[in-house]
Amino acid sequence: FVHMYYSIFMANHLRKLHETKTGSKYDLVIRYRTDCIVNEPLLKDLPTQSSFLVIPRSTMTYNCDGPWNDGDDKHVCDWLAYGTPDFMNTHCDTFVTWVTENQTPEGEACLAVHLSRKNQKIIRSDLSFFIIEGNGQIRGNLRNSTI
């Protein structure tokens, strides 16, 4: 799982380099898997705080936080997140936490432990989304029988 967090770290690093080079600053940063299908507007309930990190819970499937029951604060979904650049920098630095460790927790726990260590508050809003597997099947157990 560390390799996935390295990719996220490097993508965010390139964003920061672009901001420095162009003198620009993003208002919002989104971390999104390309195999993630979102069935409603992603930013429908944009927080009003000056700094925030949103990691939604899926209303489509169980277990978006991994093979555990959703709501377990020791695991958090690593498919989709968005927030202000300062909070997303912390999110995207998960790799830095684990790169020197001999053992890392399982995927979704890597992110949860990292955010906890950084005292990063997250907003867990509800959103209709799911991961589509290479065979076209939806990952996880559906919460309802229709899409």
Side-chain angles (χ1 to χ4, degrees), residues 26-48:
Y26 289 94
D27 296 327
L28 188 74
V29 176
I30 300 171
R31 188 277 189 222
Y32 176 80
R33 284 181 52 154
T34 57
D35 58 353
C36 184
I37 307 299
V38 179
N39 290 323
E40 60 185 303
L42 177 63
L43 306 177
K44 66 179 178 150
D45 295 319
L46 197 62
T48 59

PDB file of all heavy atoms in Angstrom, residues 26-48:
ATOM      1  N   TYR A  26      -4.321  26.903  -5.382  1.00  0.00           N
ATOM      2  CA  TYR A  26      -5.606  26.236  -5.517  1.00  0.00           C
ATOM      3  C   TYR A  26      -6.464  26.485  -4.278  1.00  0.00           C
ATOM      4  O   TYR A  26      -5.954  26.554  -3.159  1.00  0.00           O
ATOM      5  CB  TYR A  26      -5.419  24.730  -5.712  1.00  0.00           C
ATOM      6  CG  TYR A  26      -4.862  24.376  -7.068  1.00  0.00           C
ATOM      7  CD1 TYR A  26      -3.498  24.210  -7.253  1.00  0.00           C
ATOM      8  CD2 TYR A  26      -5.709  24.220  -8.154  1.00  0.00           C
ATOM      9  CE1 TYR A  26      -2.988  23.900  -8.495  1.00  0.00           C
ATOM     10  CE2 TYR A  26      -5.205  23.907  -9.403  1.00  0.00           C
ATOM     11  CZ  TYR A  26      -3.842  23.752  -9.568  1.00  0.00           C
ATOM     12  OH  TYR A  26      -3.331  23.447 -10.795  1.00  0.00           O
ATOM     13  N   ASP A  27      -7.755  26.612  -4.494  1.00  0.00           N
ATOM     14  CA  ASP A  27      -8.708  26.763  -3.389  1.00  0.00           C
ATOM     15  C   ASP A  27      -9.110  25.401  -2.841  1.00  0.00           C
ATOM     16  O   ASP A  27      -9.445  25.277  -1.661  1.00  0.00           O
ATOM     17  CB  ASP A  27      -9.981  27.477  -3.852  1.00  0.00           C
ATOM     18  CG  ASP A  27      -9.715  28.897  -4.293  1.00  0.00           C
ATOM     19  OD1 ASP A  27      -8.818  29.542  -3.717  1.00  0.00           O
ATOM     20  OD2 ASP A  27     -10.406  29.365  -5.219  1.00  0.00           O
ATOM     21  N   LEU A  28      -9.105  24.387  -3.707  1.00  0.00           N
ATOM     22  CA  LEU A  28      -9.576  23.055  -3.351  1.00  0.00           C
ATOM     23  C   LEU A  28      -8.714  22.015  -4.052  1.00  0.00           C
ATOM     24  O   LEU A  28      -8.349  22.190  -5.222  1.00  0.00           O
ATOM     25  CB  LEU A  28     -11.039  22.902  -3.793  1.00  0.00           C
ATOM     26  CG  LEU A  28     -11.768  21.662  -3.345  1.00  0.00           C
ATOM     27  CD1 LEU A  28     -12.107  21.770  -1.856  1.00  0.00           C
ATOM     28  CD2 LEU A  28     -13.056  21.487  -4.142  1.00  0.00           C
ATOM     29  N   VAL A  29      -8.406  20.940  -3.354  1.00  0.00           N
ATOM     30  CA  VAL A  29      -7.631  19.834  -3.915  1.00  0.00           C
ATOM     31  C   VAL A  29      -8.478  18.575  -3.766  1.00  0.00           C
ATOM     32  O   VAL A  29      -9.073  18.339  -2.716  1.00  0.00           O
ATOM     33  CB  VAL A  29      -6.280  19.668  -3.177  1.00  0.00           C
ATOM     34  CG1 VAL A  29      -5.516  18.464  -3.699  1.00  0.00           C
ATOM     35  CG2 VAL A  29      -5.442  20.941  -3.294  1.00  0.00           C
ATOM     36  N   ILE A  30      -8.523  17.767  -4.838  1.00  0.00           N
ATOM     37  CA  ILE A  30      -9.311  16.537  -4.834  1.00  0.00           C
ATOM     38  C   ILE A  30      -8.387  15.358  -5.084  1.00  0.00           C
ATOM     39  O   ILE A  30      -7.603  15.373  -6.030  1.00  0.00           O
ATOM     40  CB  ILE A  30     -10.418  16.580  -5.907  1.00  0.00           C
ATOM     41  CG1 ILE A  30     -11.365  17.745  -5.654  1.00  0.00           C
ATOM     42  CG2 ILE A  30     -11.173  15.251  -5.961  1.00  0.00           C
ATOM     43  CD1 ILE A  30     -12.368  18.003  -6.779  1.00  0.00           C
ATOM     44  N   ARG A  31      -8.508  14.329  -4.249  1.00  0.00           N
ATOM     45  CA  ARG A  31      -7.823  13.048  -4.448  1.00  0.00           C
ATOM     46  C   ARG A  31      -8.910  12.063  -4.861  1.00  0.00           C
ATOM     47  O   ARG A  31      -9.890  11.880  -4.149  1.00  0.00           O
ATOM     48  CB  ARG A  31      -7.165  12.607  -3.129  1.00  0.00           C
ATOM     49  CG  ARG A  31      -6.269  11.399  -3.279  1.00  0.00           C
ATOM     50  CD  ARG A  31      -7.056  10.122  -3.231  1.00  0.00           C
ATOM     51  NE  ARG A  31      -6.172   8.977  -3.173  1.00  0.00           N
ATOM     52  CZ  ARG A  31      -6.368   7.870  -3.855  1.00  0.00           C
ATOM     53  NH1 ARG A  31      -7.405   7.735  -4.629  1.00  0.00           N
ATOM     54  NH2 ARG A  31      -5.556   6.877  -3.756  1.00  0.00           N
ATOM     55  N   TYR A  32      -8.734  11.476  -6.042  1.00  0.00           N
ATOM     56  CA  TYR A  32      -9.820  10.707  -6.631  1.00  0.00           C
ATOM     57  C   TYR A  32      -9.253   9.544  -7.421  1.00  0.00           C
ATOM     58  O   TYR A  32      -8.351   9.733  -8.227  1.00  0.00           O
ATOM     59  CB  TYR A  32     -10.604  11.654  -7.546  1.00  0.00           C
ATOM     60  CG  TYR A  32     -11.717  11.054  -8.333  1.00  0.00           C
ATOM     61  CD1 TYR A  32     -12.940  10.812  -7.737  1.00  0.00           C
ATOM     62  CD2 TYR A  32     -11.551  10.756  -9.673  1.00  0.00           C
ATOM     63  CE1 TYR A  32     -13.980  10.277  -8.465  1.00  0.00           C
ATOM     64  CE2 TYR A  32     -12.585  10.219 -10.412  1.00  0.00           C
ATOM     65  CZ  TYR A  32     -13.793   9.978  -9.807  1.00  0.00           C
ATOM     66  OH  TYR A  32     -14.825   9.441 -10.522  1.00  0.00           O
ATOM     67  N   ARG A  33      -9.759   8.352  -7.188  1.00  0.00           N
ATOM     68  CA  ARG A  33      -9.381   7.197  -7.997  1.00  0.00           C
ATOM     69  C   ARG A  33     -10.183   7.223  -9.286  1.00  0.00           C
ATOM     70  O   ARG A  33     -11.385   7.463  -9.276  1.00  0.00           O
ATOM     71  CB  ARG A  33      -9.681   5.901  -7.247  1.00  0.00           C
ATOM     72  CG  ARG A  33      -8.698   5.592  -6.157  1.00  0.00           C
ATOM     73  CD  ARG A  33      -9.008   4.303  -5.476  1.00  0.00           C
ATOM     74  NE  ARG A  33      -9.169   3.202  -6.421  1.00  0.00           N
ATOM     75  CZ  ARG A  33      -8.962   1.931  -6.128  1.00  0.00           C
ATOM     76  NH1 ARG A  33      -8.597   1.587  -4.906  1.00  0.00           N
ATOM     77  NH2 ARG A  33      -9.140   0.985  -7.014  1.00  0.00           N
ATOM     78  N   THR A  34      -9.535   6.903 -10.398  1.00  0.00           N
ATOM     79  CA  THR A  34     -10.233   6.944 -11.681  1.00  0.00           C
ATOM     80  C   THR A  34     -11.233   5.815 -11.858  1.00  0.00           C
ATOM     81  O   THR A  34     -12.077   5.874 -12.742  1.00  0.00           O
ATOM     82  CB  THR A  34      -9.231   6.936 -12.856  1.00  0.00           C
ATOM     83  OG1 THR A  34      -8.409   5.775 -12.746  1.00  0.00           O
ATOM     84  CG2 THR A  34      -8.379   8.193 -12.835  1.00  0.00           C
ATOM     85  N   ASP A  35     -11.170   4.780 -11.013  1.00  0.00           N
ATOM     86  CA  ASP A  35     -12.168   3.706 -11.072  1.00  0.00           C
ATOM     87  C   ASP A  35     -13.304   3.936 -10.075  1.00  0.00           C
ATOM     88  O   ASP A  35     -14.120   3.062  -9.828  1.00  0.00           O
ATOM     89  CB  ASP A  35     -11.536   2.332 -10.868  1.00  0.00           C
ATOM     90  CG  ASP A  35     -10.781   2.185  -9.553  1.00  0.00           C
ATOM     91  OD1 ASP A  35     -10.620   3.194  -8.834  1.00  0.00           O
ATOM     92  OD2 ASP A  35     -10.336   1.070  -9.251  1.00  0.00           O
ATOM     93  N   CYS A  36     -13.366   5.126  -9.530  1.00  0.00           N
ATOM     94  CA  CYS A  36     -14.418   5.506  -8.580  1.00  0.00           C
ATOM     95  C   CYS A  36     -15.531   6.225  -9.345  1.00  0.00           C
ATOM     96  O   CYS A  36     -15.277   7.185 -10.066  1.00  0.00           O
ATOM     97  CB  CYS A  36     -13.838   6.414  -7.501  1.00  0.00           C
ATOM     98  SG  CYS A  36     -14.996   6.860  -6.206  1.00  0.00           S
ATOM     99  N   ILE A  37     -16.735   5.724  -9.211  1.00  0.00           N
ATOM    100  CA  ILE A  37     -17.901   6.316  -9.868  1.00  0.00           C
ATOM    101  C   ILE A  37     -18.680   7.108  -8.817  1.00  0.00           C
ATOM    102  O   ILE A  37     -19.071   6.564  -7.786  1.00  0.00           O
ATOM    103  CB  ILE A  37     -18.811   5.218 -10.467  1.00  0.00           C
ATOM    104  CG1 ILE A  37     -18.011   4.269 -11.373  1.00  0.00           C
ATOM    105  CG2 ILE A  37     -20.007   5.830 -11.165  1.00  0.00           C
ATOM    106  CD1 ILE A  37     -17.352   4.929 -12.561  1.00  0.00           C
ATOM    107  N   VAL A  38     -18.892   8.390  -9.090  1.00  0.00           N
ATOM    108  CA  VAL A  38     -19.652   9.258  -8.188  1.00  0.00           C
ATOM    109  C   VAL A  38     -20.980   9.563  -8.867  1.00  0.00           C
ATOM    110  O   VAL A  38     -21.007  10.046  -9.998  1.00  0.00           O
ATOM    111  CB  VAL A  38     -18.881  10.559  -7.882  1.00  0.00           C
ATOM    112  CG1 VAL A  38     -19.687  11.461  -6.966  1.00  0.00           C
ATOM    113  CG2 VAL A  38     -17.523  10.235  -7.267  1.00  0.00           C
ATOM    114  N   ASN A  39     -22.078   9.262  -8.180  1.00  0.00           N
ATOM    115  CA  ASN A  39     -23.415   9.374  -8.763  1.00  0.00           C
ATOM    116  C   ASN A  39     -24.131  10.686  -8.470  1.00  0.00           C
ATOM    117  O   ASN A  39     -25.306  10.822  -8.804  1.00  0.00           O
ATOM    118  CB  ASN A  39     -24.311   8.236  -8.245  1.00  0.00           C
ATOM    119  CG  ASN A  39     -23.892   6.900  -8.792  1.00  0.00           C
ATOM    120  OD1 ASN A  39     -23.480   6.797  -9.933  1.00  0.00           O
ATOM    121  ND2 ASN A  39     -23.992   5.879  -7.970  1.00  0.00           N
ATOM    122  N   GLU A  40     -23.485  11.611  -7.849  1.00  0.00           N
ATOM    123  CA  GLU A  40     -24.101  12.889  -7.523  1.00  0.00           C
ATOM    124  C   GLU A  40     -23.003  13.940  -7.469  1.00  0.00           C
ATOM    125  O   GLU A  40     -21.829  13.595  -7.463  1.00  0.00           O
ATOM    126  CB  GLU A  40     -24.860  12.803  -6.196  1.00  0.00           C
ATOM    127  CG  GLU A  40     -24.003  12.428  -5.006  1.00  0.00           C
ATOM    128  CD  GLU A  40     -24.820  12.228  -3.752  1.00  0.00           C
ATOM    129  OE1 GLU A  40     -25.537  13.154  -3.355  1.00  0.00           O
ATOM    130  OE2 GLU A  40     -24.738  11.129  -3.178  1.00  0.00           O
ATOM    131  N   PRO A  41     -23.362  15.213  -7.438  1.00  0.00           N
ATOM    132  CA  PRO A  41     -22.319  16.243  -7.395  1.00  0.00           C
ATOM    133  C   PRO A  41     -21.393  16.062  -6.189  1.00  0.00           C
ATOM    134  O   PRO A  41     -21.851  15.972  -5.051  1.00  0.00           O
ATOM    135  CB  PRO A  41     -23.107  17.548  -7.285  1.00  0.00           C
ATOM    136  CG  PRO A  41     -24.444  17.229  -7.885  1.00  0.00           C
ATOM    137  CD  PRO A  41     -24.710  15.790  -7.518  1.00  0.00           C
ATOM    138  N   LEU A  42     -20.108  15.973  -6.450  1.00  0.00           N
ATOM    139  CA  LEU A  42     -19.110  15.740  -5.412  1.00  0.00           C
ATOM    140  C   LEU A  42     -19.111  16.856  -4.375  1.00  0.00           C
ATOM    141  O   LEU A  42     -18.991  16.603  -3.179  1.00  0.00           O
ATOM    142  CB  LEU A  42     -17.717  15.621  -6.040  1.00  0.00           C
ATOM    143  CG  LEU A  42     -16.542  15.450  -5.097  1.00  0.00           C
ATOM    144  CD1 LEU A  42     -16.663  14.158  -4.307  1.00  0.00           C
ATOM    145  CD2 LEU A  42     -15.241  15.468  -5.883  1.00  0.00           C
ATOM    146  N   LEU A  43     -19.251  18.073  -4.816  1.00  0.00           N
ATOM    147  CA  LEU A  43     -19.126  19.226  -3.926  1.00  0.00           C
ATOM    148  C   LEU A  43     -20.469  19.802  -3.522  1.00  0.00           C
ATOM    149  O   LEU A  43     -20.594  20.993  -3.246  1.00  0.00           O
ATOM    150  CB  LEU A  43     -18.260  20.291  -4.595  1.00  0.00           C
ATOM    151  CG  LEU A  43     -16.881  19.797  -5.058  1.00  0.00           C
ATOM    152  CD1 LEU A  43     -16.135  20.904  -5.780  1.00  0.00           C
ATOM    153  CD2 LEU A  43     -16.077  19.246  -3.904  1.00  0.00           C
ATOM    154  N   LYS A  44     -21.502  18.944  -3.446  1.00  0.00           N
ATOM    155  CA  LYS A  44     -22.858  19.419  -3.142  1.00  0.00           C
ATOM    156  C   LYS A  44     -22.973  20.041  -1.758  1.00  0.00           C
ATOM    157  O   LYS A  44     -23.760  20.938  -1.544  1.00  0.00           O
ATOM    158  CB  LYS A  44     -23.869  18.282  -3.286  1.00  0.00           C
ATOM    159  CG  LYS A  44     -23.704  17.178  -2.270  1.00  0.00           C
ATOM    160  CD  LYS A  44     -24.708  16.080  -2.418  1.00  0.00           C
ATOM    161  CE  LYS A  44     -24.387  15.028  -1.368  1.00  0.00           C
ATOM    162  NZ  LYS A  44     -25.485  14.310  -0.906  1.00  0.00           N
ATOM    163  N   ASP A  45     -22.188  19.571  -0.808  1.00  0.00           N
ATOM    164  CA  ASP A  45     -22.226  20.084   0.566  1.00  0.00           C
ATOM    165  C   ASP A  45     -20.846  20.584   0.969  1.00  0.00           C
ATOM    166  O   ASP A  45     -20.262  20.116   1.942  1.00  0.00           O
ATOM    167  CB  ASP A  45     -22.695  18.990   1.535  1.00  0.00           C
ATOM    168  CG  ASP A  45     -24.126  18.559   1.284  1.00  0.00           C
ATOM    169  OD1 ASP A  45     -24.967  19.431   1.022  1.00  0.00           O
ATOM    170  OD2 ASP A  45     -24.392  17.348   1.344  1.00  0.00           O
ATOM    171  N   LEU A  46     -20.329  21.535   0.229  1.00  0.00           N
ATOM    172  CA  LEU A  46     -18.992  22.057   0.491  1.00  0.00           C
ATOM    173  C   LEU A  46     -18.944  22.723   1.867  1.00  0.00           C
ATOM    174  O   LEU A  46     -19.760  23.590   2.172  1.00  0.00           O
ATOM    175  CB  LEU A  46     -18.612  23.066  -0.595  1.00  0.00           C
ATOM    176  CG  LEU A  46     -17.159  23.427  -0.739  1.00  0.00           C
ATOM    177  CD1 LEU A  46     -16.318  22.210  -1.097  1.00  0.00           C
ATOM    178  CD2 LEU A  46     -16.985  24.479  -1.816  1.00  0.00           C
ATOM    179  N   PRO A  47     -18.024  22.301   2.739  1.00  0.00           N
ATOM    180  CA  PRO A  47     -17.935  22.905   4.074  1.00  0.00           C
ATOM    181  C   PRO A  47     -17.634  24.401   4.003  1.00  0.00           C
ATOM    182  O   PRO A  47     -17.020  24.885   3.050  1.00  0.00           O
ATOM    183  CB  PRO A  47     -16.768  22.156   4.724  1.00  0.00           C
ATOM    184  CG  PRO A  47     -16.685  20.862   3.988  1.00  0.00           C
ATOM    185  CD  PRO A  47     -17.085  21.203   2.573  1.00  0.00           C
ATOM    186  N   THR A  48     -18.040  25.112   5.018  1.00  0.00           N
ATOM    187  CA  THR A  48     -17.837  26.563   5.060  1.00  0.00           C
ATOM    188  C   THR A  48     -16.589  26.963   5.846  1.00  0.00           C
ATOM    189  O   THR A  48     -16.220  28.127   5.833  1.00  0.00           O
ATOM    190  CB  THR A  48     -19.067  27.255   5.675  1.00  0.00           C
ATOM    191  OG1 THR A  48     -19.274  26.734   6.991  1.00  0.00           O
ATOM    192  CG2 THR A  48     -20.303  27.030   4.819  1.00  0.00           C
TER     193      THR A  48
END
